[in-house]
Amino acid sequence: MKWTKRGLLFKPQDYALPNGCTDFAQSPQALVFEDFVRIYFSTRSRDAGGQFVSHIMFVDVDKSLRTVLGISPLPVMSQGGLGCFDEHGIFPIHVVRHDGVIRAYTCGWSRRMSVPVETAIGLAVSHDDGLTFDRVGPGPVMGPTPHEPFLVGDPFVVVRGVWHMWYIFGTSWMDSPSEPGPARVYKIAHATSADGVAWQRDGLTIVPDALGTDECQALPTVFECEGAWHMYFCYRQATDFRTNRQRGYRLGYAWSHDLSTWTRDDAMAGIDVSAAGWDAEMLCYPHVFWCDGQAYLLYNGNAFGRDGFGVAVLER
Amino acid sequence: MFDPARIETRPDWMREFAQAPATLLFDRFVRVYFSCRPGADANGQYISRAAYVDLNRANLMEVVGLSAEPVMPLGGLGAFDEFGTYPTSVIREGDTIRAYYGGWTRCSSVPFDVAIGYAISRDQGVTFEKQGTGPVFGAGLHEPFVISGPKIRKFGDYYFLWYIAGSKWIPAEGRAEPVYRIRMATSADGLNWTRHGRELIPTRLEADECQASPDVIFANGQYHMFFCYRYSLGYRGRDKGYRIGYASSTDLVSWTRDDAKAGIEVSGEGWDSEMISYPHVFELDGQTYMFYLGNGVGRHGFGLAQLDGVLA
């Protein structure tokens, strides 16, 4: 794989976002329309206690992915209810067309006492081309299981008769002197479903570790190209990853012929941090999609996407 | 009948409370699982632990044994059951004993959340080994939180799990209060559950009536459910506190509520004069008994009642 970077596509500080959001446009996810591409992302406001709450908005761009056409007038989903799994934000959202509607699989956040957060995957539906989404229910469609005990999130769905979902689950929380609170470790897994609602899971991880058992793997994105399946994801060390360039997120790569067994080969990712600029310290939250015969990679850079997301083009 | 505070030699983790009794019958004794608590922490918060007391089968008022340790450990950092095991329901499966338990975690905007864990004992119920570090049955699309109060039964080839599911949190003074109602799920293996998907027992007190402890027993051709119910707020006194309700069913799906047939009320005075809750009904040597909690929802232990008549 070889990706040519085009630079920042969307910088949130250049726009007047609703809800008082200024920084962060994280985890871009594309939905291709006939004459434009809608890119969902998570941005943040602060609540009364000064803590971040993530909201889902979108930006519409032209089909060459060079020009911003407009931004969402409001968050596309309401905040989760008191005590619900997504009460304190949604990050990220993943959208998929099916049967004339747009489904959104969300990663909902709620705050805990002994650890900072718990996440689970929710399900919402849009009947208006993705302007707004309504929850199918107030609870999660995919939460923890005996062998996927917490931090279930980062859904990415492909429908090929069978519904496939790649996602992450947490494997451990650990006290860490370098972090403000406990540090978490999470890994990529795979679920299947006949209807996209009831999912079969086996508690297994599917991408081997490159940084040891405490490697954190996040945000898988899967696409088909030249007879094989390709996965991008991001990975980092479990601690001291926020400002230490050597330990922060990079993009990883794996390939598969059967959607079940994956061979990891990060050296083939074909993209790395830049020498300077907005993506010089970290690369994270990749999203690959096809538009008019061209594969694009959307991704975040430094500070987990505080200054927006960029685009790269697959060279073939 | 049993109050851990009366046992001077009890361990620190069994300082007070004996909640949600559930029985397991042995040849010579009846093992009663319950949840107890050490003292509150500096913030006034409690952690529940699962324990048991053994009662003489020929005289249930006689204690013949007590668990030396909690029957299972608490969950680790960030796990769903890090802050408590309450309640526990057990069932024999060959030489093993399965336990389904409510695991408690602490949240930020609401005080807690609960999901149901699964553990197996291979030493006749003295200790249980958790089957994984996550819950076997937690929140779903239409059951968003507080999945608690498991009662495991087996009828025919199927396991039945009666439980409660929260439907909303009411912002109340000091802390939010959950509203929860009785539901049911079925399973062929006890691991993969199909939710029945609706609340089984209609409300009687108010729309936000809270229901708990759905304890089902089959007798005389039908299924009998004893449970407890209360008002959603202001429930810590006699007027709005827990009472024991009753419903019956012939198909396990449709239930007819008739609390007048519960056959038990609060006493005029004493340990169960303000509230009665968490019923567990079981048959033993030709008699039918009920364990239940009194004032303070088990702060002073549980009591025993004997059925006068038949379940019908």
Side-chain angles (χ1 to χ4, degrees):
Chain A
M1 295 274 152
K2 172 76 180 89
W3 297 91
T4 300
K5 291 179 178 179
R6 279 201 197 153
L8 265 181
L9 173 60
F10 179 74
K11 189 168 192 282
Q13 293 86 351
D14 291 346
Y15 298 85
L17 297 177
N19 259 31
C21 296
T22 51
D23 292 338
F24 292 98
Q26 296 180 283
S27 199
Q29 301 268 328
L31 187 67
V32 177
F33 288 83
E34 198 174 327
D35 49 1
F36 65 97
V37 178
R38 180 155 288 169
I39 303 173
Y40 296 90
F41 58 87
S42 287
T43 183
R44 300 183 186 182
S45 62
R46 285 188 191 270
D47 67 12
Q51 291 190 279
F52 282 123
V53 177
S54 286
H55 309 271
I56 303 296
M57 302 189 195
F58 63 77
V59 54
D60 290 338
V61 300
D62 78 297
K63 292 192 83 174
S64 70
L65 275 85
R66 293 181 187 280
T67 308
V68 170
L69 305 175
I71 60 173
S72 55
L74 289 169
V76 302
M77 283 182 69
S78 59
Q79 234 178 297
L82 180 63
C84 288
F85 76 103
D86 56 355
E87 179 183 1
H88 298 121
I90 297 172
F91 164 56
I93 192 173
H94 172 70
V95 291
V96 56
R97 280 201 177 84
H98 183 71
D99 268 354
V101 302
I102 299 164
R103 284 195 194 188
Y105 292 88
T106 65
C107 179
W109 291 55
S110 64
R111 298 178 192 140
R112 291 290 188 269
M113 297 305 284
S114 63
V115 294
V117 71
E118 169 66 329
T119 64
I121 294 172
L123 177 61
V125 174
S126 173
H127 297 279
D128 59 5
D129 278 343
L131 278 175
T132 60
F133 289 85
D134 294 319
R135 287 172 180 78
V136 175
V141 72
M142 225 166 88
T145 66
H147 301 290
E148 302 179 5
F150 34 67
L151 295 171
V152 175
D154 287 10
F156 185 93
V157 170
V158 170
V159 187
R160 284 288 185 280
V162 172
W163 292 67
H164 296 267
M165 183 194 287
W166 291 271
Y167 64 101
I168 62 171
F169 66 83
T171 54
S172 67
W173 281 102
M174 52 187 173
D175 287 311
S176 164
S178 73
E179 300 302 306
R184 49 194 181 262
V185 177
Y186 37 78
K187 309 287 185 187
I188 293 169
H190 177 224
T192 57
S193 171
D195 60 6
V197 178
W199 293 90
Q200 278 74 52
R201 304 147 70 181
D202 57 15
L204 301 177
T205 63
I206 59 168
V207 175
D209 292 316
L211 302 179
T213 53
D214 288 345
E215 175 185 86
C216 294
Q217 307 169 347
L219 215 98
T221 179
V222 173
F223 67 107
E224 205 171 6
C225 182
E226 293 174 0
W229 291 91
H230 308 267
M231 178 190 294
Y232 280 81
F233 54 95
C234 51
Y235 66 101
R236 60 166 171 80
Q237 301 281 0
T239 59
D240 189 25
F241 57 89
R242 295 173 202 281
T243 54
N244 184 340
R245 182 179 194 258
Q246 302 306 320
R247 297 175 64 86
Y249 271 127
R250 294 293 184 277
L251 296 191
Y253 167 77
W255 56 268
S256 171
H257 286 298
D258 59 7
L259 290 179
S260 152
T261 309
W262 293 86
T263 302
R264 180 170 182 170
D265 190 356
D266 295 346
M268 291 289 289
I271 186 169
D272 205 345
V273 288
S274 299
W278 72 279
D279 62 351
E281 289 163 24
M282 64 174 83
L283 295 181
C284 54
Y285 311 137
H287 178 75
V288 178
F289 68 103
W290 290 94
C291 179
D292 293 342
Q294 175 62 55
Y296 293 95
L297 168 63
L298 304 174
Y299 65 100
N300 287 116
N302 305 347
F304 312 95
R306 185 169 56 209
D307 295 330
F309 55 85
V311 61
V313 181
L314 182 66
E315 306 297 339
R316 301 171 73 195
Chain B
M1 197 269 101
F2 175 74
D3 178 1
R6 288 193 218 141
I7 302 172
E8 288 187 4
T9 57
R10 71 191 185 281
D12 287 344
W13 57 269
M14 201 189 287
R15 180 186 169 89
E16 53 189 343
F17 286 92
Q19 298 181 289
T23 55
L24 186 67
L25 305 186
F26 290 84
D27 289 345
R28 303 180 65 96
F29 59 91
V30 175
R31 180 157 287 169
V32 187
Y33 292 90
F34 61 89
S35 287
C36 57
R37 307 181 186 182
D41 67 15
N43 299 320
Q45 292 189 291
Y46 287 102
I47 287 177
S48 286
R49 305 305 304 268
Y52 64 79
V53 58
D54 291 337
L55 308 176
N56 182 348
R57 181 163 178 154
N59 172 18
L60 292 178
M61 302 302 280
E62 182 191 351
V63 171
V64 296
L66 190 65
S67 53
E69 300 290 338
V71 300
M72 66 180 85
L74 294 170
L77 180 64
F80 77 103
D81 54 355
E82 184 180 358
F83 292 105
T85 312
Y86 166 57
T88 301
S89 179
V90 294
I91 191 168
R92 285 184 194 279
E93 180 70 31
D95 291 337
T96 67
I97 297 160
R98 295 179 170 207
Y100 294 81
Y101 64 95
W104 290 59
T105 187
R106 292 179 183 164
C107 304
S108 163
S109 61
V110 294
F112 59 82
D113 197 10
V114 191
I116 295 170
Y118 170 52
I120 291 179
S121 173
R122 293 182 171 82
D123 60 4
Q124 295 300 307
V126 176
T127 61
F128 287 83
E129 187 181 348
K130 292 179 182 178
Q131 304 299 297
T133 51
V136 73
F137 193 87
L141 261 181
H142 305 289
E143 300 178 4
F145 39 65
V146 187
I147 307 300
S148 187
K151 298 264 191 178
I152 184 75
R153 301 287 186 268
K154 194 172 189 183
F155 296 116
D157 292 334
Y158 281 88
Y159 290 96
F160 288 78
L161 183 69
W162 279 275
Y163 62 100
I164 61 172
S167 58
K168 70 172 166 180
W169 284 93
I170 301 175
E173 254 177 73
R175 61 177 240 169
E177 294 283 357
V179 175
Y180 42 80
R181 300 263 301 275
I182 292 167
R183 293 184 180 235
M184 180 179 80
T186 55
S187 172
D189 61 7
L191 293 174
N192 299 290
W193 291 93
T194 302
R195 293 171 203 262
H196 176 60
R198 66 180 182 86
E199 288 153 338
L200 293 184
I201 306 295
T203 59
R204 201 168 70 93
L205 299 175
E206 57 174 0
D208 286 342
E209 174 182 281
C210 294
Q211 306 166 344
S213 193
D215 196 82
V216 174
I217 184 170
F218 180 77
N220 303 314
Q222 60 181 334
Y223 300 93
H224 308 268
M225 181 191 292
F226 291 85
F227 57 96
C228 54
Y229 64 100
R230 60 163 170 78
Y231 287 85
S232 56
L233 301 173
Y235 55 83
R236 290 188 167 82
R238 180 185 170 114
D239 291 346
K240 295 189 168 183
Y242 271 126
R243 297 292 185 275
I244 291 177
Y246 170 85
S248 61
S249 172
T250 53
D251 62 6
L252 291 168
V253 173
S254 326
W255 292 85
T256 303
R257 179 172 181 171
D258 186 358
D259 295 346
K261 294 177 81 172
I264 186 167
E265 248 300 341
V266 289
S267 299
E269 58 185 37
W271 77 281
D272 61 353
S273 60
E274 293 174 11
M275 56 185 85
I276 49 175
S277 64
Y278 286 85
H280 171 57
V281 175
F282 64 102
E283 291 180 314
L284 180 71
D285 303 330
Q287 299 289 337
T288 303
Y289 297 95
M290 176 192 288
F291 282 118
Y292 67 100
L293 308 181
N295 304 344
V297 198
R299 177 178 287 274
H300 308 294
F302 53 82
L304 179 65
Q306 185 171 341
L307 180 66
D308 185 10
V310 293
L311 288 169

